[in-house]
Amino acid sequence: MSLRRLPAVLVVGAVIAALLSGCSGDRTSPTAASSTAAVGPVASSSSSSPSPSATTTPDDAESPTTSATVPPPLPQPVASVPKVKRSGQPSSPSVTAPAAKFTAPVTYPDGVRLDIVRTVRATETGHGPGVMAGRKYVRFELKLTNGSAKAINLNQVVLTTYYSASKQLAAPVYTESAKTYDFSGIVKPGASATAFYAFAVPDSGLKKLTMVVDFDGTHTSATYSGAVVVS
């Protein structure tokens, strides 16, 4: 009789071994999952056991260890600002306008005009990706008025700003506190469009600043240069 029961005992033993193996896998899986989530600020936490606080939250963003403030970029002098090539638009502009001071508009002979409506000085605030808390920037409100007989495509507008005698490139600021809004869409004859652009510029850079607004392929880039008066 013991010989007939022997296979059953072996089967039961195998089942028990399999169950124990399954339980061991369940115990180790949470640890493996938590280790993959410990990236960035979480990895610097002093706690060694996984907990709900390991998940990034708005409160975590307020702590000094998660500040996105970083050193300013290395000097990047601007040698020249080439005209942007746009698909479906002229490869060479045919309508030109002279450069202007920041207090005057750039006016084209076909009736297109670009005004700097307002210039504001501000400092970056907040936390998160792309934010450099404490960095000063200048924010421009631009208005393009189409007084020509043709529509203007503003879906590929490129602004380049640099400052000081060394022509240091000014980094664009696209944070929530800056409230920027690019040009876009088609501006029909007689209509206008408004946009808001911000650039990181130190106080000394406001004395000698250049901003190049390349808004389409038909017109030369609108260029402003000189001292900037901010409000």
Side-chain angles (χ1 to χ4, degrees):
M1 294 177 62
S2 60
L3 292 177
R4 286 194 298 269
R5 290 200 300 268
L6 181 57
V9 172
L10 291 176
V11 171
V12 172
V15 171
I16 293 175
L19 290 174
L20 290 176
S21 176
C23 292
S24 175
D26 290 340
R27 287 197 300 270
T28 57
S29 58
T31 303
S34 64
S35 65
T36 59
V39 179
V42 178
S44 64
S45 174
S46 60
S47 175
S48 59
S49 60
S51 66
S53 61
T55 303
T56 302
T57 64
D59 291 335
D60 292 333
E62 296 297 329
S63 64
T65 57
T66 59
S67 173
T69 302
V70 296
L74 295 174
Q76 299 181 44
V78 177
S80 62
V81 183
K83 186 71 176 174
V84 175
K85 302 298 183 182
R86 298 171 172 85
S87 177
Q89 296 193 31
S91 57
S92 298
S94 57
V95 185
T96 65
K101 300 293 184 182
F102 282 94
T103 54
V106 171
T107 305
Y108 294 85
D110 64 350
V112 174
R113 170 174 168 157
L114 188 65
D115 290 87
I116 298 179
V117 179
R118 188 182 181 192
T119 306
V120 178
R121 187 65 161 157
T123 303
E124 286 187 56
T125 59
H127 300 273
V131 177
M132 296 179 65
R135 181 174 63 169
K136 291 185 177 181
Y137 64 88
V138 57
R139 179 175 181 263
F140 297 97
E141 179 181 350
L142 301 177
K143 181 180 180 181
L144 185 142
T145 303
N146 185 7
S148 71
K150 298 181 179 180
I152 298 177
N153 186 336
L154 294 182
N155 286 321
Q156 295 181 3
V157 178
V158 177
L159 270 72
T160 305
T161 300
Y162 54 90
Y163 57 88
S164 76
S166 62
K167 297 184 177 182
Q168 166 67 22
L169 181 66
V173 178
Y174 282 101
T175 59
E176 184 177 355
S177 62
K179 298 180 180 179
T180 53
Y181 183 82
D182 291 358
F183 278 122
S184 63
I186 306 297
V187 183
K188 297 180 180 180
S192 62
T194 301
F196 300 87
Y197 293 88
F199 296 91
V201 180
D203 290 336
S204 59
L206 296 178
K207 299 177 182 178
K208 187 178 179 63
L209 190 73
T210 298
M211 182 170 65
V212 180
V213 185
D214 187 349
F215 58 90
D216 77 347
T218 302
H219 301 80
T220 56
S221 300
T223 302
Y224 298 91
S225 61
V228 176
V229 179
V230 296
S231 57

